[in-house]
Structures are given as C-alpha cells and as structure tokens.
Amino acid sequence: MTGKTVRVRFAPSPTGSLHVGNARTALINWLYARHHGGEMLLRMDDTDSERSTKEYELGIIEDLGWFGLDWDDFARQSARQDRYDAAMERLKEKGRLYPCYETQEELDLKRKILLGQGKPPVYDRAALALSAEEQAAFVQQGRTPHWRFRLLDEPVEWDDLGRGHVRFEPGHLSDPVLVREDGRPLYTLSSVVDDGEMFITHVMRGEDHVVNTAVQVQLFQALGYDVPTFAHLPLMVGADGKALSKRIGSLGLAEIRADGTEAVALAAYLAHLGTAIAPDGSETMADLARNFDIKGFGRAGPRYDPAELETLNAKVIHHLSFDVVKDRLAEAGLGDADEVFWSAIHGNIAKVSDAAYWWQVCNGEIDPAVDAEDRDFLTQAAAALPEGAWDETTWKTWTGALKEATGRKGKQLFLPLRRALTGRDNGPELRDLLPLIGRDRAAERLRG
Ligand code: GLU
C-alpha cells in the first residue's frame, strides 16, 4: 500500500437514519483517512430505489455534518448504472457471470433440503449446467434470469487489519447473485465496482461483512481492480450483550444529539470503545485523528453503554471553551451569557442545555427549596449577607461568619444555603455563583 494515498469510503444506504453503529463505521473511516493524510468518500448505496429516499440521504448528510465528519468526494450509486452494466459485460465475457432461472420458491426448497441433510446451504450451480436449449425453454416460459458470479474453487485469503489473517476454504460459499432479474446490480457488485473504480485503498466496516468480503475479493480480481486492504471490526453490543439492533430508537444519531450529547464526546467514546484507552474528554477531533490506531481495537464486541457516554459528555463539557459554545448558548436563548457565567457553571453540568437552568439561577426566578426547620437559619443568613462589591471571596467570608454565629458546619451549613439559592442539592460552586446571583436576588431567596 505504500506510496498510494489512503482513500476510504463510508457507504450508507439511504433507507433509514444513521444509528450509532453506522456512525462508528463512518468515524473509524474518517479517523483513518485523516490520520494518514488520506481522503474520504461518502457514497450513497441507493440502488434499492424502492427503499432509498432523498430525505434519508439529506438526514445522513446532516447527521454526519453534526458529528464533525467531512468528505473529499461524494457519489451516488443510482447514477452509476452504466458502470455496473459495463462490469457485468466484462464478467460475462470471462465466463464468470451466469444466468439462473430458479424462482425464489425453488431456491428455498433447495436450501431446506440441504439443511435437512445437515449440509451447508450452498447453491448447487444447477444453472451452470443448463444447455442452451434448456435456457431457451425457460425464457419461453417467460422467466427472466438473475445472474450469479462463478467463484473460483480456491481458498480466499487476506490480511485483515481487524481480524488478522482470514481464510475461506473453497466450497463453503454460494456463487452470489450479482444482478437482479430487472438488470439492477446487487450491493456485492456495485460496491466492488465503485471501490475499484474510485481507487479505494481501505475498506473498513463491521464484521458482519466478512463473508461478503470473501466473495468480493474474487470479484475485485475478476474485474481487474486492485484488492483493497480490509478491516472488519467487531460489532458493538448492547447492555444485554447482543448485537445492537439496527432499529433506531435511542440509538439513532439524531436522538443521541437531541439528548444533549456533544458530537466530540460521541466521537471520543466511539473512537476508544473496545480499545485499552479511556478517553478523558479533552481530545478534539484533530487529536482523535492524530492518535488513531486501527490496530488498537480488541476482538470482542465492545459494549455500547449510554451511561458511560453521558459521563464522558460531562467531562467534554468541562473542557469546552466559551468561544466554542457561545453560539449554541445564544441559540438556547442565553445570548447574554458571558465567559464568567460559562466558567462558573461548565464544570458542573452534564449537557450544554443545562446552562439554561443556571442562567435562571443567576438572572431570573427559581423556586428556592427550603425545609421548614431551616427557615430561621436562612433568615439569619440573609441578614448576614456581606455589603459592598461581591467576588469569589464573598461566599467564604459570608459562610465563615455564619459558621461562627450559628455553630453549623459542613452539610448542615452549606446545603440549606445551596437549596435556597439554587433550588437544587447539587450544582456549580456557590463561590462562583453567588456573585452572579447578586445580593438582592440572594436575599429574596433566603427570606423566602
Ligand atoms: N451499504 C452497505 C451497508 O450499509 C455498505 C457496506 C460496505 O461498507 O461495503 O451495509
């Protein structure tokens, strides 16, 4: 591979929205390309015209943009039928593509029989043995053929960046159908033609594609393309240890985003999931790309845990500078929020949207939480609020004096004040919040 510019692709089918599994594949390709100073192609695998929609395509593009990924090239399979037709012709000329006339029912029956005999349900190549007359007879009956790729009866081997050396023995794979009855290519063919003609050097995808790869390696060779390097990564599993379902639900990228997840938190989480490195929330996308190592992934399916992602999200927010978050605060109606406010709160919020509450605490109305037995203490605390200009020392001065006067300390001293001033048991440091809340507002909340 040396000397060649690394070129990878992410090839979603626009038949649904992106889920976290797709996002991980996209991210890994992007990180690999950027790490190696290479290029990334975004390809819409939209040959399934019944199920592919423009809306899904736009949604995928929007989600990838939010995620912080970009690409150097874009293609749509639906616009490349002529390339697939040309490839079919080449395969026919080489005797590697043969017409088959079995109906789905006939194929299902063959499968059942083989399975019943305890044999692998490998296609028996009956169509390969048809004479010209037999073929003509099928056509007479009104049957239109689908086309299969004749595999060579030799082992298929490759060195996989995810799985090490992989070997498939001959006879274990069915000759795959490459062309439907209506002449449209199936993914196996269109993907190889595109990867070959777009000079893809590395194909990185989930390990559910390993069998496809075995077939595709022979197809790359039959079509005279360079065989790319493959990396098959173990699929993520859910909390139950089972493969993440492709159904969207809470695993959709759009939902994860709407949940307040920072794109870079998701990226750091997915880039390190299944590796020996625990992200600390400080890495930018550029850092992730620089540090990326495709060989760092273990062989077991890593567990996708939304709770871990949430924890990392909070860490990421602790590292977010005001400049980065400014526009989003403005979008959330906090256009007046400044750096002092952000510095006061960002160490103690889990999502950027939590800022809205703390903005209210500092600038608006909240419901102070007060226990009846603390009422007198809080009145006393209000009376003891320091005069003059407030800064980050005010809290200490004030609570020091209250400690002296009341004998309260620790939680007994601090919690009622926090609850009255912020309405919550936890949150940003009161040392930082108090000057932002200001004397009048503080006094009012303490007096109840
Ligand atoms: N469109 C295929 C999929 O979404 C692409 C697989 C591949 O990366 O080759 O599964």
Side-chain angles (χ1 to χ4, degrees), residues 9 11-13 22 43 45 187 191 195 203-205 209 216 246:
R9 88 297 196 273
S13 306
N22 308 129
R43 185 181 87 202
D45 281 3
Y187 151 79
S191 185
D195 290 342
V203 170
M204 294 185 268
R205 54 192 179 191
H209 282 286
Q216 289 183 339
K246 288 205 175 170

Side-chain angles (χ1 to χ4, degrees), residues 112-334:
K112 265 193 203 138
I113 293 172
L114 287 170
L115 289 170
Q117 294 169 347
K119 294 185 187 153
V122 174
Y123 177 63
D124 62 6
R125 291 182 165 167
L128 203 50
L130 292 176
S131 65
E133 292 73 38
E134 286 167 322
Q135 290 192 28
F138 279 128
V139 175
Q140 282 265 275
Q141 287 171 21
R143 292 201 195 191
T144 322
H146 55 273
W147 298 77
R148 283 186 194 261
F149 177 53
R150 187 170 61 75
L151 290 170
L152 299 179
D153 297 320
E154 57 188 40
V156 182
E157 299 181 70
W158 71 92
D159 287 316
D160 195 290
L161 292 178
R163 299 167 71 84
H165 190 75
V166 181
R167 181 182 162 104
F168 275 80
E169 297 305 329
H172 286 62
L173 299 167
S174 288
D175 287 347
V177 177
L178 293 191
V179 186
R180 297 180 176 94
E181 290 179 12
D182 63 7
R184 280 184 300 162
L186 279 146
Y187 151 79
T188 308
L189 175 65
S190 50
S191 185
V192 167
V193 171
D194 291 344
D195 290 342
E197 297 193 358
M198 296 178 186
F199 306 106
I200 297 302
T201 58
H202 293 75
V203 170
M204 294 185 268
R205 54 192 179 191
E207 65 185 3
D208 50 333
H209 282 286
V210 171
V211 177
N212 286 338
T213 299
V215 165
Q216 289 183 339
V217 164
Q218 285 207 2
L219 196 49
F220 276 103
Q221 289 163 339
L223 286 167
Y225 303 130
D226 286 349
V227 180
T229 299
F230 291 95
H232 291 93
L233 298 175
L235 301 179
M236 291 189 289
V237 297
D240 54 1
K242 294 199 188 120
L244 284 185
S245 142
K246 288 205 175 170
R247 272 177 296 112
I248 292 299
S250 60
L251 301 174
L253 211 59
E255 284 76 6
I256 292 173
R257 171 186 181 178
D259 220 26
T261 308
E262 296 299 308
V264 72
L266 182 64
Y269 181 65
L270 295 177
H272 292 299
L273 192 63
T275 74
I277 296 166
D280 65 4
S282 67
E283 285 170 299
T284 61
M285 292 300 271
D287 296 330
L288 291 172
R290 193 174 44 253
N291 301 334
F292 186 67
D293 176 12
I294 186 83
K295 299 236 164 124
F297 293 103
R299 289 292 292 274
R303 194 172 291 246
Y304 174 78
D305 183 347
E308 275 179 24
L309 174 57
E310 212 173 300
T311 306
L312 178 59
N313 199 53
K315 290 185 187 163
V316 163
I317 289 178
H318 304 171
H319 285 96
L320 279 189
S321 72
F322 177 65
D323 281 346
V324 171
V325 87
K326 198 159 83 184
D327 292 347
R328 285 168 53 205
L329 290 174
E331 271 167 35
L334 310 188

Side-chain angles (χ1 to χ4, degrees), residues 22-51:
N22 308 129
R24 176 169 170 257
T25 303
L27 176 72
I28 286 170
N29 278 280
W30 184 88
L31 290 171
Y32 192 85
R34 297 297 175 244
H35 179 85
H36 291 280
E39 294 169 348
M40 163 108 167
L41 162 76
L42 175 62
R43 185 181 87 202
M44 291 293 155
D45 281 3
D46 60 351
T47 52
D48 183 344
S49 52
E50 288 86 39
R51 292 174 57 229

